Amino acid sequence: VHCYNAMLDDEMLDELLDYIDEMMEISDVLPLPKSSSSGSSLSTLVTLQAAEGYWSLDTGLASIIGRSLSDLKSASPSGCSDVVWGTLLAIVLLESRFSSQHDEWELVAMKAEMWLQGQALPPGSSISSLKETAKQSLP
């Protein structure tokens, strides 16, 4: 194993730091690459999913859906927890708004469905009946 000890003199270090500063200034003024709004919304939706597979019913999810958080909470079936309802809304959103990108979110939805199967649902309801209710809550 060879170990090289390359020492930077003060002048080289100053030049390097100046170069880094210039690059940072340039990156601050360059426009960010534009992506399709549906692509960025899908990415955001996926990042909101918890590691366990659920989505919290919060302002981030409400924003992607395009409804207020209070509207979404009031549309929740009686006895349905916020995380179950948020997860149902997210799955329905994936299936409806992002259907053309199915390959990108299929495993995400599968994880959410598996999480839902282990949750307590309102009496007399099923995941499919709750998904139908969630569909009607989307704009």
Side-chain angles (χ1 to χ4, degrees):
V1 176
H2 296 285
C3 184
Y4 296 98
N5 188 5
M7 298 291 290
L8 291 176
D9 62 26
D10 289 341
E11 184 178 336
M12 289 175 67
L13 184 58
D14 286 341
E15 286 178 30
L16 180 60
L17 292 172
D18 287 343
Y19 176 76
I20 291 170
D21 286 342
E22 285 177 42
M23 291 300 107
M24 290 176 73
E25 287 173 17
I26 290 171
S27 69
D28 288 342
V29 297
L30 289 175
L32 293 172
K34 293 187 179 181
S35 61
S36 70
S37 61
S38 70
S40 65
S41 293
L42 175 58
S43 315
T44 304
L45 181 59
V46 169
T47 61
L48 290 176
Q49 186 183 38
E52 295 83 357
Y54 65 84
W55 277 270
S56 295
L57 184 57
D58 59 18
T59 54
L61 182 59
S63 174
I64 294 170
I65 291 172
R67 292 196 57 196
S68 73
L69 181 57
S70 60
D71 283 350
L72 292 174
K73 284 187 176 197
S74 66
S76 176
S78 178
C80 193
S81 73
D82 282 354
V83 289
V84 167
W85 184 237
T87 303
L88 290 161
L89 289 167
I91 292 170
V92 168
L93 187 66
L94 288 170
E95 293 172 349
S96 61
R97 191 178 299 169
F98 303 105
S99 60
S100 65
Q101 296 165 282
H102 184 264
D103 290 346
E104 296 175 41
W105 56 258
E106 179 180 19
L107 295 176
V108 169
M110 196 180 304
K111 183 175 186 176
E113 294 267 1
M114 288 173 53
W115 179 84
L116 279 172
Q117 290 172 7
Q119 303 308 303
L121 303 177
S125 63
S126 66
I127 292 173
S128 59
S129 69
L130 291 170
K131 281 173 70 174
E132 286 303 316
T133 304
K135 283 179 190 174
Q136 296 173 14
S137 298
L138 298 182

